[in-house]
Amino acid sequence: MSSLQPISFTHYLAAKKTVDDRALNRHVWEALANRVRSAGRLRVLELGAGIGTMVERAWEWGLLTGEVAYTLLDADAACIAAVPERLTAWAKGRGIEAERLGERRLQLRHGARGVTLDLVAADALAFAQRDHPEPWDLLIAHAFLDLIDVPAALPHLLALLRPGGLFYFTLNFDGVTIFEPALDPALDAQIERLYHETMDRRIVNGLSSGDSRTGRHLFTHLLRAGATILAAGSSDWVVFPGPAGYPANEASFLHAILQTVENALHGYPELDAAQFAAWIAARQEQVERAELTYIAHQIDVLGTVPGGEAG
């Protein structure tokens, strides 16, 4: 296994913020923004919300402009616990008032803009199957759907929306992983194939959990669930070194990706262990020398559920 210090999941989420910012499809984002900017009071539910980076982005990119009730849901309690401190520090640097309203509630306010955040540590599907007194206007799932059994979960998730409510499903992985420059083309291709295979075979709590082609399959799943797709586009991760190396903390992001590949394929019977260890070490050295380019193909989708006019 790698000799590098393991990168925590919260550190990884923070490091990938700038990668996600570049990747998100702006056509799809603007289609969403055009529908919610004049919506008045807005109820938002984000699944797999992590440490709150989508809240930061939605504020900075002008999506949250009025009074918003925003529920952040994540099964990882450590991620949810990190949200208040992170968002308070982020708000302070932008002149936004941040007020704790309890252990699991935070309010952000600046002039007419006010976002009340409710923090929930829970499994998304279990949460979806609870009774909720009021549906949501917007459901966000960012880099999340490719980690679950979409056909089984989707009807429950979409039922969380009000009639005509919107869903914004982003960074849905779609079957392409690229590391450049090539080391051994045959071995590179084998590692990519087997890595994707681990996604297709993933089992969590006894249930299928993942699909290496979630992005392309999502269109069919949504239509079968009765949803209407309003906009879609690619949202590829593209991380490459510039004249000053990798921007922000993206070298850590790349190391985390390599750790993910390493953990997924450790002990895989079809892979020569010594060759794989040497491949991981060589890729890590490429990151340290600011030589590695990494690309992952993903798709963003915006849509609505039946029963009313969206937005």
Side-chain angles (χ1 to χ4, degrees):
M1 297 291 282
S2 170
S3 61
L4 286 180
Q5 187 72 20
I7 297 170
S8 72
F9 190 56
T10 54
H11 185 186
Y12 161 75
L13 292 178
K16 84 182 185 84
K17 169 68 163 48
T18 53
V19 182
D20 288 356
D21 285 347
R22 287 197 306 275
L24 282 165
N25 188 286
R26 295 305 180 96
H27 163 72
V28 180
W29 177 273
E30 284 303 317
L32 169 64
N34 288 338
R35 287 176 174 265
V36 303
R37 280 176 181 146
S38 59
R41 183 176 180 271
L42 185 69
R43 281 174 51 80
V44 181
L45 171 62
E46 182 181 354
L47 308 176
I51 57 175
T53 54
M54 183 59 80
V55 174
E56 300 169 0
R57 182 180 297 113
W59 184 291
E60 292 170 348
W61 292 6
L63 186 69
L64 307 178
T65 58
E67 291 294 328
V68 180
Y70 196 123
T71 301
L72 294 91
L73 179 80
D74 201 289
D76 190 332
C79 287
I80 289 296
V83 170
E85 182 178 354
R86 177 183 173 91
L87 288 185
T88 298
W90 166 84
K92 184 178 180 181
R94 289 158 179 79
I96 302 166
E97 179 185 352
E99 181 182 1
R100 293 290 295 268
L101 303 177
E103 184 180 356
R104 294 298 174 98
R105 177 170 281 194
L106 178 70
Q107 186 175 74
L108 305 174
R109 182 163 295 281
H110 186 273
R113 303 173 72 181
V115 181
T116 301
L117 304 166
D118 287 298
L119 314 177
V120 181
D123 173 79
L125 189 56
F127 180 86
Q129 293 173 323
R130 298 179 193 170
D131 290 329
H132 300 283
E134 187 179 357
W136 282 269
D137 304 305
L138 171 62
L139 177 66
I140 298 174
H142 177 64
F144 174 75
L145 292 186
D146 47 31
L147 303 175
I148 66 173
D149 184 350
V150 174
L154 200 56
H156 301 287
L157 301 182
L158 296 180
L160 293 164
L161 287 166
R162 65 166 174 82
L166 295 165
F167 56 83
Y168 178 58
F169 297 155
T170 55
L171 270 60
N172 299 291
F173 184 68
D174 192 49
V176 179
T177 301
I178 299 169
F179 295 100
E180 283 287 336
L183 291 175
D184 176 336
L187 181 60
D188 292 343
Q190 182 188 30
I191 289 171
E192 177 184 349
R193 176 178 61 81
L194 295 178
Y195 177 51
H196 295 169
E197 189 176 284
T198 67
M199 302 177 194
D200 297 327
R201 293 181 174 183
R202 187 190 300 125
I203 300 293
V204 177
N205 297 326
L207 300 174
S208 175
S209 183
D211 176 1
S212 65
R213 291 173 173 80
T214 295
R216 71 191 69 179
H217 294 159
L218 188 55
F219 293 89
T220 299
H221 296 324
L222 286 166
L223 293 175
R224 286 177 176 170
T228 298
I229 297 169
L230 301 172
S234 62
S235 52
D236 298 350
W237 276 339
V238 182
V239 183
F240 61 95
Y246 298 105
N249 201 18
E250 294 180 18
S252 291
F253 167 80
L254 290 175
H255 281 306
I257 292 294
L258 290 170
Q259 286 181 5
T260 299
V261 174
E262 181 180 28
N263 292 337
L265 294 177
H266 178 66
Y268 216 77
E270 293 185 39
L271 200 56
D272 180 272
Q275 278 190 323
F276 181 50
W279 187 92
I280 289 289
R283 292 301 191 190
Q284 290 172 335
E285 289 170 4
Q286 286 178 328
V287 176
E288 291 301 299
R289 296 194 301 266
E291 295 175 354
L292 182 68
T293 294
Y294 167 67
I295 301 168
H297 177 49
Q298 297 159 149
I299 295 175
D300 292 353
V301 180
L302 170 70
T304 182
V305 294
E309 185 167 344

